[in-house]
Amino acid sequence: MKTKVLMAILAVVIAGLIAVPWIASYFYVFIFTEILILGLFAASFNLIFGYTGMLSFGHAAFFGIGSYATALVLIHLEWPFLACLLVSMGASALLALVIGFMSVRLNEVYFAMLTLAFGMMVFAIAYQWRSVTNGSDGLAGFTLGSFGLGLDLTLANPSVYYHVVLAIVAIASVVLYVICRSSFGMILKAIRQNPERVSFAGLNVRTYRLVAFVIAGTFAGLAGGLIAPFLRVASPELLHWSMSAEPILMAILGGTGFFLGPFIGSAAFVLLETWITTYTESWMLVLGIILAMMVIFFRKGLLGTAIDWWMEVKK
């Protein structure tokens, strides 16, 4: 019965997401496109934080590199959009492999600080390498051509691009879910709870952490590849350490112990930011207070608290 209810709710949510361009204005089409992209970004972060127990302050490096990779390929090679996304994933995976190889050797705060240092290094390179990245102005002026696979899609249309993002995020989410539910995902949970015991069992903890780090970086790069055409620019701000705080906040806000938690957190964060900015110029102060109260009173995140409430009601 519980499974049937959850499946019914999920079906309604999916149907509602598909119908957004038909029932909402273009403004909310843009808002929900951003929610989906940032939700995937936060979900990729949650693989290493919620499942593996590694707090990274440099996750935006992979997000930003994905956006730059897509922009560069569109500007110089004019490849189909799908090929650009594959390049963004490959570039982010390679960067994650390099950073992860040197970072997973450390634990807890030392790991967090090292990822922050690498993230700021990547930001500094993008900011100063003007001949490639156009410096602080970022890369703009690129246009989306074909999607690829022989599909005739008008990607410049916000509604079409929204459905493309929805389909890609859905596929990526299924892949991430399968990874989290696999034996590999179970080992990651064990590493989060007791890495010493996992090591005593004969498993190489560093290798598993590195693989998880690379997978997370790859999907963050995919999210970055989707954000560049959405914003029409790939800028250094996407690489900044402050951008790395967003997936952390979204994951905690939605609930790090649940796969869909980061998506719920992304929706709450973006919608709150959008609505508050329409009423006050001091939106950052108001948003900070609201988010702080939500984190304090919803210890398991919005999704975890809702599930606990539902279980209490069922009793």
Side-chain angles (χ1 to χ4, degrees), residues 41-179:
F41 182 34
S44 69
F45 166 78
N46 201 46
L47 178 65
I48 57 175
F49 180 59
Y51 284 85
T52 319
M54 298 187 297
L55 175 59
S56 171
F57 286 133
H59 205 60
F62 315 121
F63 185 68
I65 286 298
S67 67
Y68 271 103
T70 294
L72 286 169
V73 173
L74 286 173
I75 291 172
H76 298 291
L77 300 177
E78 298 182 353
W79 285 1
F81 183 49
L82 185 59
C84 296
L85 293 180
L86 293 177
V87 172
S88 68
M89 294 175 70
S92 298
L94 182 59
L95 179 63
L97 179 62
V98 174
I99 294 178
F101 180 77
M102 291 178 279
S103 300
V104 298
R105 301 165 180 266
L106 303 177
N107 295 318
E108 299 175 353
V109 67
Y110 304 104
F111 170 84
M113 296 309 296
L114 189 57
T115 56
L116 173 62
F118 279 120
M120 290 309 296
M121 286 173 58
V122 175
F123 166 78
I125 292 172
Y127 193 85
Q128 297 177 13
W129 199 1
R130 193 169 184 84
S131 61
V132 175
T133 64
N134 202 28
S136 60
D137 296 326
L139 296 174
F142 49 85
T143 57
L144 284 172
S146 64
F147 175 76
L149 300 178
L151 297 176
D152 185 18
L153 300 175
T154 308
L155 296 177
N157 186 319
S159 297
V160 174
Y161 191 72
Y162 167 80
H163 280 131
V164 168
V165 169
L166 177 60
I168 293 173
V169 170
I171 295 171
S173 299
V174 170
V175 174
L176 274 173
Y177 180 76
V178 171
I179 291 172

Side-chain angles (χ1 to χ4, degrees), residues 232-308:
R232 295 292 191 268
V233 64
S235 65
E237 284 73 17
L238 298 175
L239 292 155
H240 197 260
W241 70 266
S242 58
M243 190 68 196
S244 293
E246 291 195 13
I248 298 174
L249 183 56
M250 291 173 187
I252 294 175
L253 186 59
T256 58
F258 305 90
F259 179 77
L260 292 177
F263 291 97
I264 303 298
S266 171
F269 182 86
V270 174
L271 290 174
L272 279 173
E273 181 182 5
T274 302
W275 291 334
I276 293 172
T277 52
T278 60
Y279 294 105
T280 176
E281 294 181 358
S282 304
W283 64 272
M284 293 186 69
L285 174 62
V286 178
L287 179 63
I289 294 173
I290 293 175
L291 292 177
M293 298 300 290
M294 293 176 72
V295 171
I296 291 172
F297 291 103
F298 297 89
R299 295 294 182 86
K300 293 185 179 180
L302 295 175
L303 183 57
T305 303
I307 292 175
D308 285 350

